[in-house]
Amino acid sequence: FLFNTLNVIAGAAAQEQARDTGELIRSLSDFFRYTLENKQERVLLSQELQMTGRFMYIQRKRFGKRLLYRLRVNVEPDHYRLPPFTLQPLIENSIRHGVLVKESGGSVGIHIRESGGDLVIHVLDNGVGMEKEQVSALQAAASQTPLNPEAAASKFSSAVSFGSTGLGVCNVFERLHLSFPNSRMRIYSKPGSGTCIEIRLSLEECKDV
């Protein structure tokens, strides 16, 4: 029903020559479909980038000049796989808790390359940043791999102290570690300068050959 309704609205927008409205509806429909129908454990990097692009199209229409998006991909995205919704939650955190906290807004970006046998993904922003103590605590919470209920509860408690930022980051890294045991991540941030989350995935684990 949801997709049929969105298609009807998109058709009406096309008849009225409302191009921006039609594109917004298509972006929302594609995003919902990816969210509700994707049951794969791993998807192509190209799919992740496409859906993150759809998400960013909606956000940029919503916030206008307060939000910029920069994408630099120095690899062939059809040659790598990762868990679905790896990139979008990190970008959303950057927007909500980094860029839009500033009255003037700012930019978020994704940079992807190969280096030293790894696929290196940077999700970065020029938002408000975090204090050193916050970075260390969030890094520790996100890097934990809960092996028992007590450890899982401790990790959840630590993440909750950061609100949706902590829960989102921890969820992404936990799913990455389950799919790629050799994955690593680092959080770099400085008050007033922004934040960069670095993900390193072994090419042996993530390359789609």
Side-chain angles (χ1 to χ4, degrees):
F1 172 78
L2 173 64
F3 296 131
N4 288 339
T5 302
L6 289 173
N7 286 333
V8 169
I9 298 172
Q15 289 182 346
E16 296 169 4
Q17 297 184 343
R19 294 181 180 178
D20 286 350
T21 301
E23 186 60 28
L24 276 168
I25 295 166
R26 283 188 292 272
S27 294
L28 182 62
S29 178
D30 288 347
F31 188 78
F32 279 159
R33 192 178 300 277
Y34 188 72
T35 303
L36 298 173
E37 296 183 355
N38 195 328
K39 306 300 181 182
Q40 302 176 71
E41 291 185 6
R42 300 181 186 181
V43 298
L44 291 174
L45 174 59
S46 56
Q47 292 177 273
E48 271 290 284
L49 290 172
Q50 182 182 34
M51 285 304 101
T52 302
R54 289 295 196 185
F55 173 78
M56 285 306 305
Y57 181 83
I58 296 170
Q59 297 303 308
R60 292 195 64 198
K61 285 295 183 182
R62 181 181 177 189
F63 297 109
K65 294 181 179 179
R66 292 188 64 208
L67 180 61
L68 298 176
Y69 177 48
R70 307 182 190 279
L71 177 65
R72 187 171 72 216
V73 182
N74 296 329
V75 299
E76 175 48 62
D78 283 334
H79 293 172
Y80 308 85
R81 288 187 178 271
L82 65 170
F85 287 100
T86 294
L87 301 178
Q88 183 272 332
L90 300 181
I91 281 287
E92 184 174 3
N93 276 333
S94 292
I95 294 171
R96 293 180 60 191
H97 305 289
V99 170
L100 293 183
V101 178
K102 297 168 60 176
E103 185 175 350
S104 60
S107 65
V108 296
I110 298 174
H111 297 168
I112 304 176
R113 60 187 172 88
E114 282 191 10
S115 177
D118 292 331
L119 180 69
V120 183
I121 302 172
H122 286 161
V123 177
L124 59 165
D125 66 72
N126 64 354
V128 295
M130 292 184 286
E131 298 289 345
K132 184 177 180 180
E133 294 76 13
Q134 290 178 292
V135 175
S136 298
L138 183 56
Q139 175 84 55
S143 298
Q144 272 186 319
T145 304
L147 300 177
N148 54 62
E150 291 77 13
S154 174
K155 178 174 180 176
F156 180 78
S157 177
S158 298
V160 165
S161 66
F162 293 93
S164 58
T165 298
L167 290 172
V169 171
C170 288
N171 180 266
V172 167
F173 290 134
E174 184 169 345
R175 289 188 296 111
L176 278 173
H177 188 75
L178 289 173
S179 290
F180 308 115
N182 293 314
S183 61
R184 291 102 67 204
M185 74 87 190
R186 292 292 301 173
I187 302 172
Y188 304 93
S189 190
K190 184 178 180 181
S193 297
T195 300
C196 174
I197 296 180
E198 179 184 86
I199 297 171
R200 284 183 172 266
L201 306 177
S202 168
L203 293 178
E204 293 183 358
E205 294 179 335
C206 72
K207 201 153 190 180
D208 190 38
V209 294

